[in-house]
C-alpha cells in the first residue's frame, strides 16, 4: 500500500505587485529582478485577510478535487512560518473554516521545505494505518514579515497557499509516494531567519523599531546551499528507488530563484524543460511554492496521471527535502 495524492488546490491573492511597482518603493529595477531571480510579479494579500483565509480556500479546493467532504478528513497539517498568530495553530482555524470534524490538526515549521515535510508526515500516518485522509497545506503571507525598505529581500517573496489531500492506494494501484527524504542543518540558521518575536527577543518597542520582526537573509549563502542540497536530495530520491534522471517526467522544485533551478538542472542532468516553472508569476511563496506549482501543473494538464514527479525544496533552518511520487 502507498499514499497517493487524491486532489490538489491553490489560492493566491488577486492583488499583483509588479517589479515596476517595487522599483518605486526601493532602488531596484524590473531588469535586475528578472535577470537575478526570474521573478516578474508576486501576489499580496489584502488587508483584513489572513493566512488561514488563503489556507482554507486552497484546502477546500483540494477536497473538491479529491471528491471528499472536509468532514471525512482525519488530519489537517499546515506548513507555515507566517501563521495567523503564535497560537493556536492555523490548522485549527482551517478546520473551522472548511467545516471539517474534530480531526487532528497542527502546524509544522520547516520554512520552504514545509510541504515536503508535511507530505512525509502524511505518508507515515497513512502507511501506519493511523489516518486515511490527510490534508496538507503550505501557506505563507510573507508580505507581512518582509521589510519593504530592504531591496535584498522584499523583491523575492509573495503570498499564496497550495494544498493536497493524501489517501491510501487500493490494491494494485501503482500510483503514490515512492519515498520522501528530509534533512536539516541548524548551522545554517544564521543565513535566513526572523530574529524577533520569540523567546530570544520577545516583541518590544525596541525590537519593532530595530526591524527585528522582518526576514533577514544572507542571499549568497542560501543560494549556494540551495544548489548543493537540492541536487543531493534529488539524487538520493532517485537512488533510493532505483530510478535514473531519464525516468523523471517532471521536477517540481521550490520556486525561490530561477538561477537556483537552472543550476540544479545542470547538476542533476535533468533538462530545464522538465521543470515546472511559475516563479515569474508568484515569486518565492516558501512552503506554498511546491503545492501551488503541483496544482497548476495538474490543472493545466502538464503533469498527467501515471507520470513520475520529483520534488525538492530548501529553506530556513536550513531545512530541505525531496519526494518522488507517481501521480
Ligand atoms: O526559499 C529559500 C530562501 N531564499 C533563497 O533561496 C534566495 C537565495 N538567494 C538568492 O536568490 C540571491 O542570492 C539573491 C537574488 C537574493 C541575490 O542575488 P545575487 O546575485 O546573490 O546578488 P548579490 O546579493 O550578490 O547582490 C549583487 C548586487 C549588490 O550590489 P553591489 O554590492 O554589487 O553594489 C546588491 O546590493 O546587487 C545589489 N542588489 C540589488 N540591486 C537591485 C541586491 N538586491 C537588489 C535589488 N535590486 N533588488
Amino acid at each position: 500500500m502507498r499514499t497517493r495524492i487524491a486532489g490538489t488546490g491553490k489560492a493566491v491573492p488577486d492583488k499583483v505587485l509588479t517589479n515596476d511597482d517595487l522599483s518605486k518603493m526601493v532602488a531596484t529595477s524590473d531588469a535586475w529582478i528578472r535577470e537575478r531571480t526570474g521573478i516578474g510579479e508576486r501576489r499580496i494579500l489584502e488587508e483584513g485577510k489572513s493566512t488561514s483565509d488563503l489556507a482554507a480556500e486552497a484546502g477546500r479546493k483540494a477536497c473538491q478535487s479529491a471528491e471528499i467532504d472536509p468532514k471525512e478528513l482525519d488530519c489537517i497539517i499546515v506548513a507555515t512560518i507566517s501563521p495567523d498568530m503564535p497560537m493556536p495553530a492555523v490548522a485549527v482555524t482551517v478546520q473551522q473554516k472548511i467545516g471539517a470534524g474534530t480531526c487532528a490538526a497542527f502546524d509544522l515549521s520547516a520554512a520552504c521545505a514545509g510541504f515536503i515535510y508535511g507530505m512525509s508526515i502524511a505518508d507515515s500516518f497513512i502507511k501506519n494505518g493511523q489516518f486515511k485522509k490527510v490534508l496538507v497545506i503550505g501557506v505563507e503571507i510573507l508580505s507581512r514579515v518582509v521589510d519593504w525598505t530592504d531591496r535584498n529581500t522584499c523583491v523575492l517573496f509573495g503570498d499564496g497557499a497550495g494544498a493536497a489531500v493524501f489517501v491510501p492506494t487500493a490494491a494494485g494501484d501503482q500510483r503514490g509516494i515512492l519515498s520522501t527524504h528530509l534533512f536539516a542543518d541548524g548551522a545554517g540558521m544564521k543565513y535566513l531567519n526572523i530574529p524577533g518575536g520569540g523567546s530570544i527577543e520577545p516583541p518590544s518597542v525596541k525590537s519593532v523599531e530595530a526591524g527585528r520582526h522582518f526576514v533577514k537573509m544572507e542571499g549568497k549563502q542560501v543560494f549556494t546551499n540551495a544548489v548543493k542540497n537540492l541536487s543531493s536530495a534529488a539524487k538520493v530520491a532517485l537512488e533510493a528507488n532505483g530510478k535514473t534522471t531519464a525516468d523523471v517526467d517532471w521536477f517540481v522544485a521550490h520556486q525561490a530563484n530561477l538561477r537556483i533551478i537552472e543550476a540544479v538542472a545542470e547538476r542533476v542532468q535533468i533538462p530545464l524543460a522538465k521543470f515546472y516553472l511559475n516563479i515569474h508569476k508568484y515569486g518565492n511563496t516558501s512552503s506554498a511554492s511546491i503545492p501551488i506549482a503541483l496544482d497548476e501543473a495538474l490543472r493545466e494538464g502538464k503533469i498527467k496521471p501515471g507520470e513520475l514527479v520529483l520534488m525538492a525544496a530548501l529553506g530556513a533552518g536550513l531545512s530541505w527535502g525531496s519526494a518522488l511520487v507517481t501521480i
Side-chain angles (χ1 to χ4, degrees):
M1 192 267 285
R2 282 190 189 150
T3 302
R4 73 177 173 87
I5 297 173
T8 61
K10 76 150 202 264
V12 293
D14 295 332
K15 187 182 167 194
V16 173
L17 186 72
T18 65
N19 293 343
D20 285 333
D21 294 333
L22 274 165
S23 69
K24 292 175 193 121
M25 297 159 64
V26 289
T28 191
S29 65
D30 178 56
W32 191 95
I33 300 171
R34 278 184 200 274
E35 192 186 306
R36 305 308 292 165
T37 72
I39 300 168
E41 57 189 41
R42 69 288 294 142
R43 302 298 179 97
I44 306 293
L45 190 63
E46 70 200 72
E47 247 178 73
K49 288 205 168 175
S50 72
T51 309
S52 59
D53 290 318
L54 274 196
E57 189 184 332
R60 217 177 281 119
K61 287 179 182 164
C63 289
Q64 273 164 11
S65 93
E67 297 180 343
I68 70 152
D69 187 314
K71 289 201 172 16
E72 297 169 45
L73 290 171
D74 300 306
C75 180
I76 301 169
I77 303 171
V78 174
T80 189
I81 49 98
S82 47
D84 283 357
M85 52 179 94
M87 73 166 192
V90 175
V92 298
T93 309
V94 169
Q95 182 191 47
Q96 298 301 300
K97 287 185 175 172
I98 66 173
T102 53
C103 62
F106 63 95
D107 290 0
L108 77 84
S109 175
C112 307
F115 188 78
I116 302 279
Y117 270 69
M119 186 189 291
S120 186
I121 295 167
D123 187 29
S124 300
F125 276 146
I126 287 171
K127 280 202 187 118
N128 75 20
Q130 189 167 354
F131 296 134
K132 286 202 158 52
K133 290 169 185 167
V134 180
L135 173 63
V136 181
I137 303 171
V139 58
E140 303 293 357
I141 310 303
L142 296 172
S143 62
R144 309 246 165 107
V145 293
V146 300
D147 180 351
W148 290 103
T149 65
D150 175 14
R151 71 174 183 177
N152 291 297
T153 51
C154 76
V155 303
L156 304 173
F157 300 103
D159 301 338
V165 173
F166 294 90
V167 299
T169 53
D173 191 341
Q174 292 306 305
R175 291 174 295 176
I177 298 173
L178 303 186
S179 66
T180 56
H181 288 86
L182 307 178
F183 307 93
D185 179 5
M189 68 177 287
K190 55 184 180 284
Y191 302 139
L192 182 52
N193 55 52
I194 299 176
S199 63
I200 295 180
E201 293 187 45
S204 65
V205 172
K206 210 171 127 199
S207 69
V208 171
E209 283 173 355
R212 304 292 287 167
H213 303 274
F214 294 133
V215 171
K216 312 284 178 204
M217 185 174 74
E218 287 181 39
K220 273 201 192 312
Q221 293 290 348
V222 180
F223 191 107
T224 311
N225 278 285
V227 173
K228 185 179 74 177
N229 293 328
L230 290 173
S231 303
S232 62
K235 285 179 186 165
V236 165
L238 294 176
E239 278 162 23
N241 294 288
K243 303 281 185 193
T244 69
T245 52
D247 296 320
V248 176
D249 295 302
W250 287 97
F251 196 146
V252 178
H254 171 45
Q255 312 282 303
N257 186 321
L258 183 58
R259 288 189 296 131
I260 293 176
I261 294 175
E262 287 168 347
V264 171
E266 177 77 32
R267 276 206 184 193
V268 298
Q269 289 290 294
I270 293 179
L272 196 58
K274 286 191 175 182
F275 284 71
Y276 182 81
L277 302 172
N278 63 5
I279 187 168
H280 54 289
K281 293 194 286 183
Y282 306 124
N284 180 349
T285 58
S286 187
S287 66
S289 105
I290 287 197
I292 290 175
L294 194 59
D295 181 63
E296 291 197 335
L298 286 165
R299 286 177 197 261
E300 287 166 10
K302 289 197 166 147
I303 296 180
K304 295 181 191 65
E307 288 191 324
L308 189 67
V309 179
L310 181 55
M311 303 175 204
L314 174 139
L318 300 172
S319 312
W320 68 98
S322 61
L324 195 63
V325 184
T326 304
I327 295 297

